[in-house]
Amino acid sequence: MRSIAEITAELGGYDPQAFLPAATVHAFLERLVEPVTEIERVGLFDALGRVLAEDVISPISVPPHDNSAMDGFAFDGAQLLASQPLALKIVGTALAGAAWRGTVQAGECVKIMTGAVMPAGLDTVVPQEFTRVDGNTVTVPAGAVQPGEHRRKLGEDLMAGQPALQRGQRLKPAALGLLASLGIAEVPVWRRLRVAYFSTGDEILSLGEPPREGAVYDSNRYTLFGLLERMGIDMIDLGVVRDEPTLLEAAFRDAAARADVVITSGGVSVGEADYTKAMMRQLGDVAFWRVAIRPGRPMAVGHIAGGAPGAASGSDHRAVLFGLPGNPVAVMITFLAFVRPALRRMMGLRPEPDIPLRAASEEPMRKKPGRTEYQRGIVTRHADGRLTVRSTGNQGAGVLSSMGRANGLIVLAHEQGDVAAGEEVDVLMFEGVLG
């Protein structure tokens, strides 16, 4: 496990006392976190949402034979004439799951059902609704079908020996169906990532506690629960931990011993001399940053030791630590901007394509160059396909209700300045991430 000093030595211009650009934070995290290595084999009913640990190679061709795509009549398409109808004698019926073994001569056809194996020498199917049947003769109108039409070819979807699914792919419903179509009952997946999280602070109330002056109810744990649940992660909720050294040490050690990642909220502001930061330093190799983003400036990242309280930290299991700000919106922004990509890498997922959506701003926006801003936005798709976006108003880091009104984030880049009305900006949609 690489130390903070080793990683930062590779980053040109790294200065922990300065405001770190978002790009520097991403570069740091790419070096800090490592994918899980344990592989499990699970059945298809348990595979939804899991991440493939190996490529899946198709053991068979799909479809395994030429077959009909329609209910109709199969024949040799070379007999078709562009301007004249074609009369064919029906000499048999081919059903799905029971190949027809007869021989078809010129001027003959076979009645065929969808999915049935195409009889030898036949390459075209005319749908039954396009034809006229009189006894054992069917007439195909001129232009009703083209040679080779309505036939599914062997291996059209997949050929035996080709990759069907790729390592690092999250298994979705369609993937489960594909695996079943290949006769595959079990797949190798990475074990689930384990994440422990808790909130810190004497001012934090748990749900069910009576209100008291100067205290606020804990929302960050529930936000983190929702974000982590969407990712398919095994979660360990350690509740609210008071600002007492013995309680904090026990919580950090318990979390690190049981999980791959520990996420906290609160107690990481630069310049604060609280117990949370002191305990992070005592138990781990942790960097405290001021990140050049808005909101979400303070952040702690590194490793934290697990094990029994009072044990030496150097020999214990160490988990990756993300110390997030205390403000509710800042927690969500830092999670989406930095923690989520890092967790995806640890889960073994392939990187998401960097293809930002662009939307025209419906209003001017003030922006200082030198930091990345994430504003809560309402994105609208118009009838002509255009995207426009407007902010939700007050962008304060404690205004959590604005996140509920938003359907995405307006991402204003590090060097970007003021935005004029009508100017295009990057937007990150919540769909698929938050709900």
Coordinates of all heavy atoms in Angstrom, one line a residue, residues 42-107:
V42 N -21.2 -16.6 -8.8 CA -22.6 -16.5 -8.3 C -23.5 -16.9 -9.4 O -23.2 -16.8 -10.6 CB -22.9 -15.0 -7.9 CG1 -22.0 -14.6 -6.7 CG2 -22.7 -14.1 -9.1
G43 N -24.7 -17.4 -9.0 CA -25.7 -17.8 -10.0 C -26.3 -16.6 -10.6 O -26.2 -15.5 -10.0
L44 N -27.1 -16.7 -11.7 CA -27.6 -15.6 -12.4 C -28.6 -14.8 -11.5 O -28.7 -13.6 -11.6 CB -28.3 -16.0 -13.7 CG -27.4 -16.6 -14.7 CD1 -28.1 -16.7 -16.1 CD2 -26.1 -15.8 -14.9
F45 N -29.4 -15.5 -10.6 CA -30.3 -14.8 -9.8 C -29.7 -13.9 -8.8 O -30.3 -13.0 -8.2 CB -31.3 -15.8 -9.1 CG -32.3 -16.4 -10.0 CD1 -32.4 -17.7 -10.2 CD2 -33.2 -15.5 -10.7 CE1 -33.4 -18.3 -11.0 CE2 -34.2 -16.1 -11.6 CZ -34.3 -17.4 -11.7
D46 N -28.4 -14.1 -8.5 CA -27.6 -13.3 -7.6 C -26.6 -12.4 -8.2 O -25.9 -11.7 -7.6 CB -26.9 -14.2 -6.6 CG -27.8 -15.1 -5.7 OD1 -28.8 -14.5 -5.2 OD2 -27.5 -16.3 -5.6
A47 N -26.7 -12.3 -9.6 CA -25.6 -11.6 -10.3 C -26.0 -10.2 -10.7 O -25.2 -9.4 -11.1 CB -25.3 -12.4 -11.6
L48 N -27.3 -9.8 -10.6 CA -27.7 -8.5 -11.0 C -27.0 -7.4 -10.2 O -26.9 -7.4 -9.0 CB -29.2 -8.3 -10.8 CG -29.8 -7.0 -11.3 CD1 -29.7 -6.9 -12.8 CD2 -31.3 -6.9 -10.8
G49 N -26.4 -6.5 -11.0 CA -25.6 -5.4 -10.4 C -24.2 -5.7 -10.0 O -23.4 -4.8 -9.6
R50 N -23.8 -7.0 -10.1 CA -22.4 -7.4 -9.8 C -21.5 -7.0 -10.9 O -21.9 -6.8 -12.0 CB -22.3 -8.8 -9.4 CG -23.2 -9.3 -8.3 CD -22.8 -8.6 -6.9 NE -21.5 -9.0 -6.5 CZ -21.2 -10.0 -5.7 NH1 -22.2 -10.8 -5.3 NH2 -20.0 -10.2 -5.3
V51 N -20.2 -7.0 -10.6 CA -19.2 -6.6 -11.6 C -18.4 -7.8 -12.1 O -17.8 -8.5 -11.2 CB -18.2 -5.5 -11.0 CG1 -17.2 -5.1 -12.0 CG2 -19.0 -4.3 -10.4
L52 N -18.4 -8.0 -13.4 CA -17.7 -9.2 -13.9 C -16.2 -9.1 -13.6 O -15.5 -8.1 -13.9 CB -17.9 -9.3 -15.4 CG -19.1 -10.0 -15.9 CD1 -19.2 -10.0 -17.4 CD2 -19.1 -11.5 -15.4
A53 N -15.6 -10.2 -13.2 CA -14.2 -10.3 -12.9 C -13.4 -10.8 -14.1 O -12.2 -10.7 -14.1 CB -13.9 -11.1 -11.6
E54 N -14.1 -11.5 -15.0 CA -13.4 -12.0 -16.2 C -14.3 -11.8 -17.4 O -15.5 -11.7 -17.3 CB -13.1 -13.5 -16.0 CG -12.3 -13.9 -14.8 CD -12.3 -15.4 -14.5 OE1 -12.9 -16.2 -15.3 OE2 -11.6 -15.8 -13.6
D55 N -13.7 -11.8 -18.6 CA -14.5 -11.8 -19.8 C -15.3 -13.1 -19.9 O -14.8 -14.2 -19.5 CB -13.6 -11.7 -21.1 CG -12.9 -10.4 -21.2 OD1 -13.3 -9.4 -20.5 OD2 -12.0 -10.3 -22.1
V56 N -16.5 -13.0 -20.4 CA -17.3 -14.2 -20.7 C -17.2 -14.5 -22.2 O -17.6 -13.6 -23.0 CB -18.8 -13.9 -20.3 CG1 -19.7 -15.1 -20.7 CG2 -18.9 -13.7 -18.8
I57 N -16.7 -15.6 -22.5 CA -16.6 -16.1 -23.9 C -17.7 -17.0 -24.3 O -18.1 -17.9 -23.6 CB -15.2 -16.8 -24.1 CG1 -14.0 -16.0 -23.6 CG2 -15.1 -17.2 -25.6 CD1 -13.9 -14.6 -24.3
S58 N -18.4 -16.7 -25.4 CA -19.6 -17.4 -25.8 C -19.2 -18.8 -26.1 O -18.4 -19.1 -27.0 CB -20.2 -16.7 -27.0 OG -21.4 -17.5 -27.4
P59 N -19.8 -19.8 -25.4 CA -19.5 -21.2 -25.7 C -20.3 -21.7 -27.0 O -20.0 -22.8 -27.5 CB -20.0 -22.0 -24.5 CG -21.1 -21.1 -24.0 CD -20.7 -19.7 -24.3
I60 N -21.3 -21.0 -27.4 CA -22.1 -21.4 -28.5 C -22.3 -20.2 -29.4 O -22.1 -19.0 -29.0 CB -23.5 -22.0 -28.1 CG1 -24.3 -20.9 -27.3 CG2 -23.3 -23.3 -27.3 CD1 -25.7 -21.4 -27.0
S61 N -22.8 -20.4 -30.6 CA -23.2 -19.3 -31.5 C -24.7 -19.0 -31.2 O -25.5 -19.9 -30.9 CB -23.1 -19.8 -33.0 OG -21.7 -19.9 -33.3
V62 N -25.0 -17.7 -31.3 CA -26.4 -17.3 -31.1 C -26.8 -16.4 -32.3 O -26.2 -15.4 -32.6 CB -26.5 -16.4 -29.8 CG1 -27.9 -16.0 -29.5 CG2 -25.9 -17.2 -28.6
P63 N -27.9 -16.8 -33.0 CA -28.6 -18.1 -32.8 C -27.7 -19.3 -33.3 O -26.8 -19.1 -34.1 CB -29.8 -18.0 -33.7 CG -29.4 -17.0 -34.7 CD -28.5 -16.0 -34.1
P64 N -28.0 -20.5 -32.8 CA -27.2 -21.7 -33.2 C -27.4 -22.2 -34.6 O -26.8 -23.1 -35.0 CB -27.6 -22.7 -32.1 CG -29.0 -22.3 -31.7 CD -29.0 -20.8 -31.8
H65 N -28.4 -21.6 -35.3 CA -28.7 -22.1 -36.6 C -29.5 -21.0 -37.3 O -30.0 -20.1 -36.7 CB -29.5 -23.4 -36.6 CG -30.6 -23.4 -35.6 ND1 -31.7 -22.5 -35.6 CD2 -30.8 -24.1 -34.4 CE1 -32.4 -22.7 -34.5 NE2 -31.9 -23.7 -33.8
D66 N -29.5 -21.0 -38.7 CA -30.4 -20.1 -39.4 C -31.8 -20.4 -39.0 O -32.2 -21.6 -38.9 CB -30.2 -20.3 -40.9 CG -28.9 -19.8 -41.5 OD1 -28.1 -19.4 -40.6 OD2 -28.8 -19.7 -42.7
N67 N -32.6 -19.4 -38.7 CA -34.0 -19.6 -38.3 C -34.9 -18.5 -38.8 O -34.4 -17.4 -39.2 CB -34.1 -19.8 -36.8 CG -33.8 -18.5 -36.0 OD1 -34.7 -17.7 -35.8 ND2 -32.5 -18.3 -35.7
S68 N -36.2 -18.7 -38.7 CA -37.1 -17.8 -39.2 C -37.4 -16.7 -38.2 O -37.5 -16.9 -37.0 CB -38.4 -18.5 -39.6 OG -39.4 -17.5 -40.0
A69 N -37.4 -15.4 -38.7 CA -37.8 -14.3 -37.8 C -39.3 -14.0 -37.8 O -39.7 -13.1 -37.1 CB -37.0 -13.1 -38.3
M70 N -40.0 -14.8 -38.6 CA -41.5 -14.5 -38.7 C -42.3 -15.8 -38.8 O -41.7 -16.8 -39.2 CB -41.8 -13.6 -39.9 CG -41.0 -12.3 -40.1 SD -41.6 -11.1 -38.9 CE -43.1 -10.6 -39.7
D71 N -43.5 -15.7 -38.5 CA -44.5 -16.8 -38.9 C -44.8 -16.6 -40.4 O -45.2 -15.5 -40.8 CB -45.8 -16.7 -38.1 CG -45.6 -17.2 -36.7 OD1 -44.5 -17.8 -36.4 OD2 -46.4 -16.9 -35.8
G72 N -44.6 -17.6 -41.2 CA -44.8 -17.4 -42.7 C -44.5 -18.6 -43.5 O -44.7 -19.7 -43.0
F73 N -43.9 -18.4 -44.6 CA -43.5 -19.5 -45.6 C -42.1 -19.3 -46.0 O -41.7 -18.2 -46.5 CB -44.5 -19.5 -46.8 CG -45.9 -19.6 -46.4 CD1 -46.7 -18.6 -46.1 CD2 -46.4 -20.9 -46.3 CE1 -48.0 -18.7 -45.7 CE2 -47.8 -21.1 -45.9 CZ -48.6 -20.0 -45.6
A74 N -41.3 -20.3 -45.9 CA -39.9 -20.3 -46.2 C -39.7 -20.9 -47.6 O -40.3 -21.9 -48.0 CB -39.0 -21.1 -45.2
F75 N -38.8 -20.3 -48.4 CA -38.6 -20.7 -49.8 C -37.2 -20.2 -50.3 O -36.6 -19.4 -49.6 CB -39.7 -20.3 -50.7 CG -39.9 -18.8 -50.8 CD1 -39.3 -18.1 -51.9 CD2 -40.6 -18.1 -49.9 CE1 -39.5 -16.7 -52.0 CE2 -40.7 -16.7 -50.0 CZ -40.2 -16.0 -51.1
D76 N -36.8 -20.6 -51.5 CA -35.6 -20.1 -52.1 C -35.9 -18.8 -52.7 O -36.6 -18.7 -53.7 CB -35.1 -21.2 -53.1 CG -33.8 -20.7 -53.8 OD1 -33.3 -19.6 -53.5 OD2 -33.4 -21.5 -54.7
G77 N -35.3 -17.7 -52.2 CA -35.5 -16.4 -52.7 C -35.1 -16.1 -54.1 O -35.5 -15.1 -54.7
A78 N -34.3 -17.0 -54.7 CA -33.8 -16.8 -56.1 C -35.0 -16.9 -57.1 O -34.9 -16.5 -58.2 CB -32.8 -17.8 -56.4
Q79 N -36.1 -17.5 -56.6 CA -37.3 -17.6 -57.5 C -38.1 -16.3 -57.7 O -39.0 -16.3 -58.5 CB -38.2 -18.7 -57.0 CG -37.5 -20.1 -56.9 CD -38.4 -21.1 -56.1 OE1 -39.2 -21.8 -56.8 NE2 -38.3 -21.1 -54.8
L80 N -37.8 -15.4 -56.8 CA -38.6 -14.1 -56.8 C -38.4 -13.3 -58.1 O -37.3 -13.2 -58.6 CB -38.3 -13.2 -55.6 CG -38.8 -13.7 -54.3 CD1 -38.1 -12.9 -53.1 CD2 -40.3 -13.6 -54.2
L81 N -39.5 -12.8 -58.6 CA -39.4 -11.9 -59.8 C -40.0 -10.5 -59.3 O -41.0 -10.5 -58.6 CB -40.2 -12.4 -61.0 CG -39.7 -13.8 -61.5 CD1 -40.7 -14.3 -62.6 CD2 -38.3 -13.6 -62.1
A82 N -39.3 -9.5 -59.8 CA -39.7 -8.2 -59.3 C -41.1 -7.8 -59.6 O -41.8 -7.1 -58.8 CB -38.7 -7.1 -59.8
S83 N -41.6 -8.2 -60.7 CA -42.9 -7.6 -61.2 C -44.0 -8.7 -61.3 O -45.1 -8.4 -61.7 CB -42.7 -7.0 -62.6 OG -42.3 -8.0 -63.5
Q84 N -43.7 -9.9 -60.8 CA -44.7 -10.9 -60.9 C -44.9 -11.6 -59.6 O -43.9 -11.9 -58.8 CB -44.3 -12.0 -62.0 CG -44.2 -11.4 -63.4 CD -43.9 -12.5 -64.4 OE1 -44.1 -13.7 -64.2 NE2 -43.2 -12.1 -65.5
P85 N -46.1 -12.0 -59.2 CA -46.3 -12.8 -58.0 C -45.7 -14.2 -58.2 O -45.5 -14.7 -59.3 CB -47.9 -12.9 -57.9 CG -48.4 -12.7 -59.3 CD -47.4 -11.7 -59.9
L86 N -45.5 -14.9 -57.1 CA -44.9 -16.2 -57.1 C -45.8 -17.2 -56.4 O -46.2 -17.0 -55.2 CB -43.5 -16.2 -56.3 CG -42.8 -17.5 -56.2 CD1 -42.4 -18.0 -57.6 CD2 -41.6 -17.3 -55.3
A87 N -46.2 -18.2 -57.1 CA -47.1 -19.3 -56.5 C -46.2 -20.5 -56.1 O -45.4 -21.0 -56.9 CB -48.1 -19.7 -57.5
L88 N -46.4 -20.9 -54.9 CA -45.6 -22.0 -54.3 C -46.5 -23.1 -53.7 O -47.5 -22.8 -53.1 CB -44.6 -21.4 -53.2 CG -43.6 -20.4 -53.7 CD1 -43.0 -19.7 -52.5 CD2 -42.5 -21.0 -54.6
K89 N -46.0 -24.3 -53.8 CA -46.7 -25.4 -53.2 C -46.2 -25.7 -51.8 O -45.0 -25.7 -51.6 CB -46.5 -26.7 -54.1 CG -47.2 -27.9 -53.5 CD -47.0 -29.1 -54.4 CE -47.6 -30.4 -53.8 NZ -47.3 -31.6 -54.6
I90 N -47.1 -25.8 -50.8 CA -46.7 -26.0 -49.4 C -46.5 -27.5 -49.3 O -47.4 -28.3 -49.4 CB -47.8 -25.5 -48.5 CG1 -48.1 -24.1 -48.7 CG2 -47.4 -25.7 -47.0 CD1 -49.4 -23.6 -48.0
V91 N -45.2 -27.9 -48.9 CA -44.9 -29.3 -48.8 C -44.6 -29.8 -47.4 O -44.3 -30.9 -47.1 CB -43.7 -29.7 -49.7 CG1 -44.0 -29.4 -51.1 CG2 -42.5 -28.8 -49.3
G92 N -44.8 -28.9 -46.4 CA -44.5 -29.3 -45.0 C -44.6 -28.1 -44.1 O -44.8 -27.0 -44.5
T93 N -44.4 -28.4 -42.8 CA -44.5 -27.3 -41.7 C -43.3 -27.5 -40.8 O -43.0 -28.6 -40.3 CB -45.8 -27.4 -40.9 OG1 -46.9 -27.3 -41.8 CG2 -45.8 -26.4 -39.8
A94 N -42.5 -26.4 -40.6 CA -41.4 -26.4 -39.7 C -41.8 -25.6 -38.4 O -42.2 -24.5 -38.5 CB -40.2 -25.7 -40.4
L95 N -41.7 -26.3 -37.3 CA -42.0 -25.7 -36.0 C -40.8 -25.4 -35.2 O -39.7 -26.0 -35.3 CB -42.9 -26.7 -35.2 CG -44.2 -27.2 -35.9 CD1 -44.9 -28.2 -35.0 CD2 -45.1 -26.0 -36.1
A96 N -40.9 -24.4 -34.3 CA -39.8 -24.1 -33.4 C -39.5 -25.2 -32.5 O -40.4 -25.8 -31.9 CB -40.1 -22.8 -32.6
G97 N -38.2 -25.6 -32.5 CA -37.8 -26.7 -31.6 C -37.9 -28.1 -32.2 O -37.5 -29.1 -31.6
A98 N -38.3 -28.1 -33.5 CA -38.4 -29.4 -34.2 C -38.1 -29.2 -35.6 O -39.0 -28.8 -36.4 CB -39.8 -30.0 -34.0
A99 N -36.8 -29.4 -36.0 CA -36.4 -29.2 -37.4 C -37.1 -30.0 -38.4 O -37.4 -31.2 -38.1 CB -34.9 -29.4 -37.5
W100 N -37.5 -29.5 -39.5 CA -38.2 -30.2 -40.6 C -37.1 -30.8 -41.5 O -36.2 -30.1 -42.0 CB -39.0 -29.2 -41.4 CG -39.9 -29.9 -42.4 CD1 -41.1 -30.6 -42.1 CD2 -39.7 -29.9 -43.8 NE1 -41.6 -31.1 -43.3 CE2 -40.8 -30.7 -44.3 CE3 -38.8 -29.4 -44.7 CZ2 -41.0 -30.9 -45.7 CZ3 -38.9 -29.7 -46.0 CH2 -40.0 -30.4 -46.5
R101 N -37.2 -32.1 -41.8 CA -36.1 -32.8 -42.4 C -36.4 -33.1 -43.9 O -35.6 -33.8 -44.6 CB -35.8 -34.1 -41.7 CG -35.5 -34.0 -40.3 CD -34.2 -33.3 -40.1 NE -33.8 -33.2 -38.6 CZ -32.7 -32.5 -38.2 NH1 -32.0 -31.9 -39.1 NH2 -32.4 -32.5 -36.9
G102 N -37.5 -32.6 -44.4 CA -37.8 -33.0 -45.8 C -37.0 -32.2 -46.8 O -36.1 -31.4 -46.5
T103 N -37.2 -32.4 -48.1 CA -36.5 -31.8 -49.2 C -37.5 -30.9 -50.0 O -38.7 -31.2 -50.2 CB -36.0 -32.8 -50.2 OG1 -35.1 -33.7 -49.5 CG2 -35.2 -32.1 -51.3
V104 N -37.0 -29.7 -50.3 CA -37.9 -28.7 -51.0 C -37.3 -28.5 -52.4 O -36.2 -28.2 -52.6 CB -37.9 -27.4 -50.2 CG1 -38.8 -26.3 -50.9 CG2 -38.3 -27.6 -48.8
Q105 N -38.2 -28.6 -53.4 CA -37.8 -28.4 -54.8 C -38.2 -27.0 -55.2 O -38.9 -26.3 -54.5 CB -38.5 -29.5 -55.6 CG -38.3 -30.9 -55.2 CD -36.9 -31.3 -55.4 OE1 -36.2 -30.9 -56.3 NE2 -36.5 -32.3 -54.5
A106 N -37.8 -26.7 -56.4 CA -38.2 -25.4 -57.0 C -39.7 -25.3 -57.1 O -40.4 -26.4 -57.4 CB -37.6 -25.2 -58.4
G107 N -40.3 -24.2 -56.8 CA -41.7 -24.0 -56.8 C -42.4 -24.5 -55.6 O -43.7 -24.5 -55.6

